[in-house]
């Protein structure tokens, strides 16, 4: 059992944790980031990918609305490679609350959010798929953000500045002496090995798991869980983000993401964080609701659905004063009797940078470092690592480098052999195991129409030929990979996608006997 | 004259077979062999995705993963528990007779299959798992023979055939068969500039002797102590058995094929043998054509419109065998709420809602409920209406569209198709 030591231990490799690692690293603070699964295993990998203009929150949460507005502006300048500036359209249709529609412009201007009313004709011009029942349309500055690229690039820069990243490493306990955490117990979930990390400060950035992690240090955080589900179409169905012009509700938003569109979302109370999946009922609700705005969604082809869980922080006993805003919460647990323990949770992907900044400010104050936050001005460096997650990128690169092309392993997303090799190499350099799940998290592998049917087979064979897989590891890997895809597919299997799933089962069960 | 139908002299036949998968092909064969004038329509069926192996009955109960050495005993077991399984409508003699007829037809068409009549055979699949099946193309038989003895064996794959990895087979089987060895060899036909091949391209290339020569050379260099060689199933499209004999003579050890994922060459060979043999028997085939409209006219006859304008045909037929397959074959189609049969809108036995179609786990040991969905039939293979009576006197159904069997999990796909086609054709003769 090797012991590690660090100034700051960050728990959770989502947008907040990786953003915080970068922020601290830029201030010269030495840190270790531990993640129990892989990058973006939590809400950062299960969200809508909407860079909020803030317009959605103007009625019920103006603080969040303003945070979103200013952070989105910053990200557009500092991390343009992670963002598609699609623009947004808020659309009201017959039957929607006309008072809300009437109040909308004023509410936006109160939060400093620029909008522009447009005519029916212009709305149809911009988005031909919109319903004839349109009664109001406003342009906004919403956009699409690639959360995988964002986290991978934040992490890459942090690592280049000395931050250590440990994946598949879960925090399982704290050793507390007097009013301080002295050591953190972690478990390597792949090897089963336990380790101790000596720390000066701990930041709990574990998102919806924040209460569970805090409980390990006997700190109570009152939290409720709200599951949201999303649906991915086979093709991109709009140019812009389309948002239903009504108070936030289920099935309101259609976000384009590269070559696909994402529909969402729902809000369902859940009591456990295990086995969270979308249901058939949610899928039908989302399709029916959004089809009122974009009728073609009834006939569209869907490739998968997925879910994420939002943490809902309940008012703490000592009052609301520690809450920075209703959007996110920074807890200085000095108030709970632990001086060097901080929790940051809640918020949005859009505000991840601000959350990291606030948490880093507090930690720096505690360790007496006065360097200013640099993420406000320093652009996010673009690194190779994150680049294969962008939908539609591999086909573009592939077409450009046509001359030296390699065999395509994933035909839906046009991923050639050398890109897979590239990713496997990167993971190896991070001391990770090249499970398919890890490759899939870093590329578009398995995300297309066939949902891993063909690429699953080809990547397996390829990795054996490369000497990366041994004995029956391929079977273990493919089962895990297909199982992961299936979670997303199960609820959207009708029409063409059901035919596709039948082919998958015929191949993997009928021919390959994978179930036996 | 039928209102709304093209005003042409209709084609006439005794039997219209809808479907070109295994069941459609077998039905057309049985009908032609019995002197029925037969027309066959449909899109290329699941058959091109078939591995070329003919399963009869391999696994039951599926949740116990019980693999049967004796397929006939497995049939007794499944029929005992599931009285609506398609095999329940047939005797074992009939099932065997249906196989005998198909196998002798294929043999005449140059495609020889081997089987142990009473038992399943075990072979290696492209992922190095061993798999039971019933009839095996002769080109794979040496592999079946080698498996129990496990002699020193070379498995070779081709660079660029990315669906097949010799190393994967060897790695996966290593503990069971330590004397397996893998090699990856360049494909002998260098006229292709592409770096990636599909099986059918390779199979066509190996029809040329110059390419075979190079293949033989590179295998000779690598054979060493191997007593048998396994290669992906791409050894020619039309002359496989001759090609294998040539390799065996020149290299000096038995050579066998291993099935590949689709596009599967043995599946293509099967498809071609059927097309060739059926047209020789006078079956009129409308490949890549669908029935666009169908209705019953006077008495028990049907009028069918085949294909799309401008090339449309009108057909008057006494009977129909519906072998249009499942979702992939488009015999069934599902929207968000319900599964439909696409041609007659026959009642479809199905789980009550979409949430019940699939299990939470793809590889769920009990299988998915939707795979038992399909058309329910009487003992004469006639689809039933909602009150349990045959819908039409001379409409029959066969193959994977039938309810109450899960061919992927039970490993009974070809068997159900061939045997139910046999049952349907016999019933149509009885009722004619
Ligand atoms: C359905 C849904 C849709 C959303 N849509 C949007 C949107 O469109 N736009 C937007 O801006 N925001 C959106 N959000 C919000 C956004 O996704 C989250 O705010 C953001 O991703 C939170 O990031 P995080 O890093 O704080 O938490 P997470 O991403 O959840 O990261 C926490 C990490 O901690 C790890 N962890 C947990 N316990 C331990 C432990 N004991 N040891 C080690 N590691 C641990 C987890 O594995 C996880 O990776 C959405 C959220 C949901 C649920």
């Amino acid at each position: 059992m090797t012991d590690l030591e660090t100034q700051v231990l960050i728990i959770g490799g989502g947008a907040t944790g990786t953003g915080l690692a970068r922020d601290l690293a830029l201030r010269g603070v030495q840190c270790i980031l531990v993640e129990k699964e892989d990058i973006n295993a939590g809400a950062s990998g299960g969200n809508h990918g909407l860079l909020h203009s803030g317009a959605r929150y103007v009625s019920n949460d103006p603080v969040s609305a303003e945070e979103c507005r200013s952070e989105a502006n910053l990200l557009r300048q500092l991390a343009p490679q992670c963002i598609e500036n699609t623009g947004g359209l808020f659309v009201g249709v017959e039957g929607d609350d006309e008072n809300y529609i009437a109040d909308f412009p004023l509410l936006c201007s109160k939060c400093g959010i620029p909008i522009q009313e447009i005519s029916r004709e212009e709305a149809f011009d911009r988005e031909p798929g919109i319903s004839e029942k349109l009664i109001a349309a406003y342009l906004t500055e919403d956009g699409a953000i690639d959360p995988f690229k964002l986290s991978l690039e934040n992490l890459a820069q942090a690592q280049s500045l000395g931050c250590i990243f440990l994946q598949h490493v879960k925090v399982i306990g704290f050793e507390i002496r007097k009013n301080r955490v002295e050591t953190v117990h972690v478990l390597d979930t792949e090897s089963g090995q336990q380790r101790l990390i000596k720390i000066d400060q701990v930041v709990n950035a574990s998102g919806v798991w924040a209460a569970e992690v805090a409980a390990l240090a006997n700190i109570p955080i009152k939290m409720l869980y709200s599951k949201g589900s999303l649906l991915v179409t086979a093709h991109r169905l709009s140019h812009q983000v389309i948002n239903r012009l009504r108070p936030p509700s289920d099935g309101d938003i259609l976000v384009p993401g590269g070559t696909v569109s994402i529909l969402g979302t729902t809000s369902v109370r859940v009591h456990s964080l295990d086995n969270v999946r979308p249901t058939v009922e949610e899928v039908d609700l989302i399709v029916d609701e959004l089809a009122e705005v974009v009728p073609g969604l009834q006939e569209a082809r869907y490739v998968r659905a997925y879910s994420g869980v939002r943490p809902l922080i309940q008012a703490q006993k000592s009052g609301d004063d520690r809450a920075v805003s209703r959007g996110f919460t920074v807890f200085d647990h000095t108030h709970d009797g632990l001086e060097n323990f901080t929790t940051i949770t809640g918020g949005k992907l859009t505000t991840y940078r601000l959350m990291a900044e606030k948490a880093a400010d507090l930690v720096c104050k505690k360790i007496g470092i006065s360097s200013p936050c640099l993420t406000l001005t320093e652009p996010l460096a673009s690194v190779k690592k994150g680049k294969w997650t962008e939908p539609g990128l591999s086909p573009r690169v592939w077409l450009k480098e046509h001359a030296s092309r390699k065999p395509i392993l994933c035909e839906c997303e046009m991923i050639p052999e050398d890109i897979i090799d590239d990713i496997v190499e990167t993971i190896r350099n991070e001391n990770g195991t090249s499970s398919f799940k890890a490759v899939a998290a870093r590329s578009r592998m398995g995300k297309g129409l066939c949902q891993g049917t063909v690429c699953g087979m080809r990547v397996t064979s390829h990795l054996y030929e490369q000497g990366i897989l041994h004995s029956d590891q391929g079977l273990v890997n493919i089962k895990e990979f297909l199982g992961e895809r299936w979670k997303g597919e199960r609820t959207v299997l009708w029409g063409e996608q059901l035919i596709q799933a039948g082919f998958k089962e015929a191949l993997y069960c009928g021919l390959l006997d994978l179930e036996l | 004259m039928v209102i709304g139908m093209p005003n042409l002299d209709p084609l006439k036949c005794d039997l219209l077979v809808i479907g070109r998968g295994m069941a459609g092909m077998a039905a057309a064969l049985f009908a032609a062999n019995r002197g029925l004038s037969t027309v066959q329509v449909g899109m290329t069926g699941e058959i091109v995705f078939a591995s070329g192996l003919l399963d009869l009955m391999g696994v039951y109960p599926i949740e116990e993963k019980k693999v049967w050495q004796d397929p006939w005993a497995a049939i007794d077991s499944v029929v005992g528990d599931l009285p609506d399984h398609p095999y329940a409508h047939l005797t074992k003699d009939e099932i065997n007779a249906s196989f005998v007829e198909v196998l002798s037809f294929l043999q005449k068409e140059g495609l020889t299959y081997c089987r142990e009549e009473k038992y399943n055979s075990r072979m290696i699949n492209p992922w190095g798992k061993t798999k039971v099946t019933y009839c095996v193309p002769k080109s794979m038989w040496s592999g079946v023979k080698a498996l129990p003895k496990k002699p020193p064996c070379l498995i070779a794959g081709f660079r660029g055939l990315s669906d097949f990895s010799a190393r994967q087979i060897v790695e996966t089987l290593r503990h069971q068969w330590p004397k397996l060895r893998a090699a990856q060899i360049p494909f002998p036909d260098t006229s292709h500039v592409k770096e990636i091949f599909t099986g059918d391209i390779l199979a066509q290339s190996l029809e040329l002797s110059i390419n075979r020569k190079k293949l033989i050379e590179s295998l000779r260099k690598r054979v060493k102590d191997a007593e048998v060689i396994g290669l992906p199933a791409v050894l020619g499209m039309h002359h496989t058995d001759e090609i294998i004999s040539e390799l065996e003579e020149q290299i000096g050890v038995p050579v066998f094929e291993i099935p590949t994922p689709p596009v599967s060459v043995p599946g293509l060979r099967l498809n071609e043998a059927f097309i060739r043999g059926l047209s020789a028997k006078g079956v009129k085939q409308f490949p890549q054509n669908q029935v666009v409209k169908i209705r019953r006219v006077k008495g028990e006859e049907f009028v069918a419109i085949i294909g799309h304008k401008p090339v449309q045909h009108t057909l008057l037929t006494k009977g129909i065998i519906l072998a249009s397959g499942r979702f992939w074959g488009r015999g069934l189609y599902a929207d968000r709420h319900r599964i439909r049969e696409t041609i007659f809108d026959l009642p479809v036995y199905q789980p009550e809602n979409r949430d019940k179609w699939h299990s939470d786990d793809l590889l769920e040991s009990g299988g998915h409920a939707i795979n038992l969905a399909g058309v329910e039939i009487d003992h004469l293979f006639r689809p039933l209406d909602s009150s349990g009576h045959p819908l039409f006197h001379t409409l029959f159904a066969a193959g994977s569209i039938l309810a109450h069997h899960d061919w992927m999990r039970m490993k009974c796909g070809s068997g159900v198709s061939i045997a139910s086609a046999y049952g349907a054709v016999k019933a149509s003769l009885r009722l004619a």
Side-chain angles (χ1 to χ4, degrees):
Chain A
M1 191 164 71
T2 27
D3 287 2
L4 292 164
E5 202 171 336
T6 184
Q7 216 169 357
V8 180
L9 178 75
I10 303 168
I11 306 167
T16 310
T18 53
L20 178 59
R22 171 173 179 253
D23 188 315
L24 288 173
L26 284 169
R27 300 190 206 210
V29 179
Q30 196 251 322
C31 44
I32 292 179
L33 171 63
V34 291
E35 164 54 51
K36 71 176 163 64
E37 291 179 47
D38 196 351
I39 288 298
N40 283 10
S44 301
N47 62 71
H48 211 152
L50 170 61
L51 184 71
H52 281 284
S53 65
R56 180 171 169 80
Y57 300 114
V58 288
S59 68
N60 66 348
D61 189 354
V63 179
S64 285
E66 285 183 46
E67 279 169 6
C68 284
R69 183 210 65 215
S70 62
E71 283 299 308
N73 281 337
L74 263 178
L75 291 182
R76 270 190 283 264
Q77 291 164 32
L78 300 177
Q81 73 274 25
C82 299
I83 289 163
E84 190 187 335
N85 273 317
T86 59
L89 197 55
F90 274 66
V91 177
V93 294
E94 283 168 25
D96 284 345
D97 178 354
E98 299 197 11
N99 290 330
Y100 187 81
I101 295 175
D103 293 345
F104 184 67
L106 184 63
L107 289 170
C108 286
S109 82
K110 274 191 189 157
C111 297
I113 292 167
I115 58 166
Q116 183 197 337
E117 185 169 11
I118 58 171
S119 67
R120 262 177 82 87
E121 290 67 40
E122 186 175 352
F124 293 135
D125 241 24
R126 286 174 174 270
E127 294 296 347
I130 289 181
S131 166
E132 286 288 335
K133 295 189 174 151
L134 174 140
I135 53 172
Y138 290 91
L139 293 180
T140 59
E141 290 181 348
D142 293 276
I145 181 162
D146 179 344
F148 286 96
K149 197 167 187 175
L150 187 73
S151 293
L152 290 170
E153 298 199 332
N154 270 297
L155 176 64
Q157 192 176 16
Q159 281 176 306
S160 74
L161 295 169
C163 165
I164 295 171
F165 171 54
L166 303 173
Q167 59 187 335
H168 303 292
V169 169
K170 181 178 180 176
V171 169
I172 54 169
F174 298 98
E175 261 176 43
I176 296 163
R177 201 152 301 153
K178 290 189 185 140
N179 293 329
R180 295 182 66 81
V181 174
E182 291 203 331
T183 0
V184 180
H185 289 244
V186 299
L187 171 74
D188 183 322
T189 57
E190 300 219 303
S191 67
Q193 238 190 33
Q194 289 198 21
R195 283 177 143 188
L196 301 179
I197 306 179
K198 277 195 139 147
I199 55 102
D200 187 5
Q201 295 285 326
V202 185
V203 185
N204 170 15
S206 59
V208 76
W209 290 270
E212 274 183 14
V213 170
L216 297 173
N218 292 323
I219 297 169
I221 295 180
K222 279 194 204 156
M223 192 187 265
L224 296 172
Y225 306 137
S226 162
K227 174 178 70 158
S229 293
L230 301 122
L231 243 77
V232 186
T233 58
H235 307 287
R236 181 164 172 160
L237 298 168
S238 73
H239 305 290
Q240 297 178 257
V241 173
I242 298 178
N243 210 310
R244 184 88 170 260
L245 183 42
R246 67 178 180 190
S249 174
D250 289 339
D252 275 348
I253 317 177
L254 180 67
V255 181
T259 52
V260 303
S261 290
I262 303 173
L263 289 72
T265 171
T266 53
S267 179
V268 180
R269 235 356 113 69
V270 290
H271 300 288
S272 153
L273 296 173
D274 301 327
N275 207 12
V276 172
R277 293 171 176 217
T279 62
V280 164
E281 199 186 346
E282 285 177 282
V283 165
D284 285 346
L285 174 71
I286 293 171
V287 172
D288 288 336
E289 283 290 325
L290 264 170
E292 288 181 25
V293 185
V294 181
L297 292 171
Q298 287 287 8
E299 308 306 321
R301 178 169 179 179
Y302 297 89
V303 293
R304 68 195 180 92
Y306 59 94
S307 301
V309 184
R310 311 172 187 94
L312 302 178
I313 310 289
Q314 292 183 305
Q316 307 298 307
K317 58 178 188 308
S318 44
D320 249 359
D321 52 353
R322 287 175 290 174
V324 171
S325 90
R326 275 188 270 168
F328 63 89
T329 317
V330 183
F331 293 110
D332 178 352
H333 294 297
T334 309
H335 306 269
D336 301 300
L338 272 187
E339 288 165 5
N340 61 346
F341 197 117
T342 303
T343 293
I344 171 94
T345 183
K348 312 251 168 327
L349 193 63
T350 309
T351 57
Y352 90 96
R353 194 214 57 82
L354 178 64
M355 295 166 69
E357 178 187 336
K358 296 293 176 203
D361 283 349
L362 180 60
V363 168
C364 285
K365 200 172 105 196
K366 290 188 183 193
I367 50 183
I369 290 179
S370 58
S371 11
C373 173
L374 290 180
T375 62
L376 267 166
T377 47
E378 183 99 344
L380 182 62
S382 191
V383 291
K384 203 173 82 180
K385 262 181 149 175
K387 86 176 171 190
W388 305 122
T389 64
E390 186 183 322
L393 180 68
S394 323
R396 282 206 302 278
V397 174
W398 186 77
L399 287 172
K400 226 169 37 200
E401 297 169 359
H402 209 236
S404 68
R405 75 187 195 201
K406 289 283 183 193
I408 298 290
L409 298 183
C410 168
E411 287 181 5
C412 305
E413 301 286 327
M414 300 271 261
I415 308 175
E417 216 172 78
D418 43 353
I419 292 186
I420 298 287
D421 291 343
D422 205 40
I423 294 167
V424 168
E425 185 60 34
T426 315
I427 298 172
R428 230 203 290 206
N429 292 340
E430 282 167 9
N431 301 319
T433 41
S434 297
S435 72
F436 282 21
K437 230 169 123 181
V439 175
R442 286 162 180 77
S443 70
R444 300 280 305 159
M445 174 186 169
K447 304 206 169 69
L449 282 183
C450 87
Q451 286 292 297
T453 307
V454 175
C455 60
M457 227 168 46
R458 291 196 175 157
V459 171
T460 308
S461 297
H462 177 70
L463 294 183
Y464 269 109
E465 287 297 330
Q466 296 295 305
I468 288 164
L469 290 176
H470 297 285
S471 81
D472 65 355
Q473 283 173 341
L475 297 174
V476 177
N477 258 284
I478 195 80
K479 282 183 190 173
E480 186 193 39
F481 172 68
L482 292 176
E484 202 53 44
R485 299 322 303 156
W486 186 256
K487 279 188 204 164
E489 287 168 83
R490 196 189 86 88
T491 55
V492 298
L493 298 181
W494 69 85
E496 296 298 312
Q497 209 54 24
L498 176 65
I499 297 174
Q500 182 60 56
F503 176 52
K504 181 181 258 183
E505 198 186 352
L507 182 63
Y508 286 101
C509 297
L511 174 64
L512 299 173
D513 282 1
L514 206 60
E515 85 282 15
L516 291 180
Chain B
M1 251 293 298
V2 186
I3 316 284
M5 299 245 171
N7 186 9
L8 289 170
D9 248 5
L11 285 163
K12 289 190 178 141
C13 68
D14 296 323
L15 192 66
L16 168 65
V17 175
I18 304 175
R20 292 169 57 77
M22 183 64 86
M25 294 296 189
L29 171 68
F30 297 134
N33 280 351
R34 283 159 188 72
L36 297 177
S37 68
T38 308
V39 171
Q40 188 186 15
V41 298
M43 312 298 275
T44 305
E46 270 124 349
I47 204 164
V48 280
F49 288 99
S51 59
L53 311 175
L54 307 182
D55 291 348
L56 174 56
M57 186 71 205
V59 177
Y60 187 78
I62 56 177
E63 42 282 89
E64 288 170 23
K65 304 182 181 179
K66 180 171 176 184
V67 179
W68 294 73
Q69 170 83 59
D70 177 349
W72 305 102
I75 288 174
D76 279 339
S77 173
V78 75
V79 165
D81 293 350
L82 307 175
D84 292 321
H85 191 286
Y87 282 148
H89 305 301
L90 296 148
T91 65
K92 280 186 274 182
D93 283 342
E94 286 173 312
I95 298 171
N96 192 42
S98 70
F99 267 81
V100 169
E101 198 169 329
V102 167
L103 296 183
S104 75
F105 163 79
L106 291 174
Q107 176 142 33
K108 284 195 197 100
E109 289 306 321
L111 198 58
T112 303
Y113 271 83
C114 300
R115 62 169 176 161
E116 306 273 8
E117 193 177 317
K118 293 205 163 60
Y119 297 106
N120 279 324
S121 292
R122 199 172 259 282
M123 60 185 308
I124 54 179
N125 78 11
W127 274 29
K129 292 189 68 152
T130 66
K131 167 179 186 63
V132 300
T133 187
Y134 185 55
C135 300
V136 176
K138 185 171 168 233
S139 62
M140 300 181 184
W141 197 241
S142 297
V144 172
K145 293 281 167 216
L147 182 58
K149 301 192 195 109
K150 306 196 171 40
C153 170
L154 173 71
I155 308 280
F158 296 113
R159 208 163 293 148
L161 181 64
S162 56
D163 295 333
F164 184 95
S165 160
R167 199 157 166 171
Q168 177 176 6
I169 294 178
V170 171
E171 284 283 340
T172 309
L173 267 175
R174 194 168 31 204
H175 52 289
Q176 284 181 45
W177 193 341
K179 290 176 190 156
L180 273 187
R181 180 157 55 81
Q184 201 193 42
I185 56 180
F187 190 68
D189 183 355
T190 48
S191 68
H192 292 280
V193 284
K194 284 215 263 179
E195 283 195 50
I196 191 157
F197 305 100
T198 50
D200 50 330
I201 297 176
L202 301 189
Q204 294 292 359
S205 305
L206 287 177
E207 289 283 327
L208 300 177
S209 73
I210 172 161
N211 294 328
R212 292 201 296 275
K213 254 197 197 130
K214 287 195 223 153
L215 174 60
I216 288 166
E217 268 167 40
S218 71
L219 287 174
R220 263 189 181 151
K221 269 188 251 154
R222 290 169 172 89
V223 56
K224 295 182 188 152
D225 66 332
E227 291 167 20
V228 54
I229 298 180
L231 294 166
V234 298
L235 302 179
M237 194 59 96
H238 312 291
H239 303 94
T240 305
D241 294 349
E242 290 96 309
I243 291 172
I244 289 180
S245 301
E246 182 185 332
L247 298 189
E248 291 179 336
E249 255 165 50
Q250 309 259 333
I251 303 169
V253 298
V255 169
F256 66 90
E257 288 191 319
I258 300 167
T260 70
V263 178
S264 155
V265 173
L268 295 176
R269 291 177 194 144
L270 193 59
N271 196 38
E272 290 199 357
F274 268 119
I275 292 173
R276 220 169 35 232
L278 291 176
S279 52
K281 284 180 185 292
V283 173
K284 188 151 180 53
Q285 301 178 60
F286 290 95
Q288 307 306 333
N289 268 295
Q290 275 168 318
V291 172
V292 293
K293 203 167 189 178
I294 204 155
R295 65 196 286 177
R296 192 158 57 143
V297 290
K298 53 174 187 194
E300 300 303 338
E301 298 198 348
F302 297 88
V303 167
I305 306 292
I306 297 166
H308 290 278
K309 281 174 183 158
V311 200
Q312 216 166 37
H313 307 272
T314 308
L315 179 78
L316 189 65
T317 181
K318 292 187 189 133
I320 294 177
I321 293 184
L322 184 68
S324 46
R326 302 184 68 75
F327 302 101
W328 186 272
R330 298 191 186 255
L332 300 176
Y333 189 85
D335 61 22
R336 260 200 291 148
H337 307 290
R338 178 173 95 86
I339 302 167
R340 282 179 297 114
E341 186 281 313
T342 54
I343 296 175
F344 295 91
D345 202 10
L346 298 172
V348 174
Y349 166 81
Q350 57 187 287
E352 68 203 76
N353 59 50
R354 192 168 96 245
D355 197 29
K356 304 226 161 62
W357 290 358
H358 294 97
S359 306
D360 279 349
D361 187 356
L362 170 66
L363 301 176
E364 174 77 40
S365 59
H368 303 291
I370 195 171
N371 292 334
L372 298 176
V375 170
E376 297 188 291
I377 49 170
D378 69 1
H379 276 293
L380 295 170
F381 291 85
R382 293 178 300 181
L384 302 174
D385 64 19
S386 47
S387 61
H389 298 102
L391 262 144
F392 299 104
H393 192 58
T394 56
L395 171 66
F396 308 88
S400 62
I401 196 172
L402 298 179
H404 305 295
H405 77 291
D406 183 339
W407 68 267
M408 295 180 276
R409 302 301 180 97
M410 294 174 175
K411 320 294 171 189
C412 64
S414 301
V416 162
S417 289
I418 292 170
S420 62
Y422 187 83
V425 170
K426 272 183 76 172
S428 83
L429 283 166
R430 245 173 83 181
L431 298 176

